Amino acid sequence: MKPNQLSALIALSILLSLLISGCEETYTKEVDEDQKISDSRGQFSGDLDDGDQFGAALANIGDLEGDGVIDLAVGSPYDDDNGENRGAVWVLFLDDDGQVDTQQKISDSKGSFDGDLDDGDLFGSALASLDDLNGDGFRDIVVSAPMDDDGGTDHGALWVLFLKDDGTVESYQKISEESGELNENLDADDQFGHAVANIGDLNNDGITDLAVGMPNDDDGGTDRGAVWILFMNSDGTVSARQKISSEKGDLERKPNDGDRFGSSVTAVGDLDDDGVVDIAVGTSGDDDGGSDRGAVWVLFLNSDGTVDGLKRISHNRGGLEDQLSDGDRFGSALANLGDLNDDGNDDLMVGAPGSDDGGSNRGATWILFMQGDGEIISASKISDTEGDFDGSLNDNDQFGSSLAAIGDLNEDDHQDLAVGAPFDDNGGTDKGATWILFLGPTESHYDTSEGIIFGSLSSAVQQQ
């Protein structure tokens, strides 16, 4: 290399360092491959009927059978086993290519489950893994039945299912106004259990705790919504509880009528480094920027389940400004993706099933790269037209209605996802589907107005 070339290269390196130090680093993530699981795809051999809405809920249940591959629970809340819309859950034992090896159904007539389901309960509307709550060596799950009538019409309920390694039920515990020591009065159409999430051991008693969404709660106004923090016992009953709503739990900003706070919920790690886990809560009816665009509220919790502070992510704030449209219902589903960009903060996946990318209500999901203050650094969208996703979506599939992080299924060192599209019509009307998305690497970018200078200097060096 000639002296003048070396000098120019050194100067360029110094200038690049100075410019980058003043730039904002942003991140993107796209889809490498996908696998669809439906009535006619993905080697799924279960029997689905029209309207079952397979994929309405999803949960990573770990490696239940011990073959080294993550397994998946999938809700089908409009299944009609033994009665209309009683609901069901499918346990899918996956292969590392995202296809189904075998499956086990849990319903009013299958899977060794003899809990009392009634018509219209919608068992399977929401799902969460509980790790091994009872210490028997197998992963347990929580299944919601938000239209259960214990105590009154559509008060809602949860079922804690203690599983065997074959996906059948060993035993169970119901949590409702009348069972499981909830000891709270619910109201008609509250739909307790519309959303549910494992939030770790919030009160440090060695037992996993739950957050439960109830978006139709009327504290402070109509359908403002609420979240219950349930401190659990190892037998699946409730030890203590804390409600977060317009009137309870020290929520400093109140939801508006119709916001549906509690549409979804997930843990987001300890974003503010205070030693207590924080949660994200979907408000799919939020009207920031326009009708039903949706929002996500990040709640910084105290160990008693009350709220210490909050941040909102919506069309108008939190780092996502001007990226949502009317009817997107951003926040309808949530999942914790872990730390995708190695900055020490857990990142989020957010469903927007009303997105019209490519066609009406085809749906979308957003990957949010989080900051410790609850706002976002940047976001990547996956839809019919974005994120390098080449799966075929149709109008009203509502891709993004449910989400689950499923670890590194194909062992390429990148997080993979499961995304529900419960109104997919493979094999029949609204039978539903689940998409397995194999994600590529996290790409970093430096946003700067000086890009032309970089190009000019590079060209100058090459011409020396």
Side-chain angles (χ1 to χ4, degrees), residues 35-38 54-55 57-58 72 74 92 418-421 432-436:
Q35 173 62 56
K36 188 177 186 179
I37 301 172
S38 68
F54 172 84
L58 297 167
L72 190 66
V74 182
L92 305 186
V419 182
T434 296
W435 289 89
I436 304 298

Side-chain angles (χ1 to χ4, degrees), residues 432-456:
T434 296
W435 289 89
I436 304 298
L437 305 186
F438 299 100
L439 296 183
T442 300
E443 302 287 350
S444 62
H445 312 271
Y446 289 94
D447 291 342
T448 174
S449 61
E450 309 297 338
I452 294 175
I453 294 177
F454 292 168
S456 298

Side-chain angles (χ1 to χ4, degrees), residues 2 141 151 170 216 219 247 251 282 290 313 317 443:
K2 296 179 181 179
I141 61 173
E170 174 71 31
N216 288 4
D219 277 7
E247 298 177 351
L251 193 63
I313 302 168
R317 68 196 76 236
E443 302 287 350

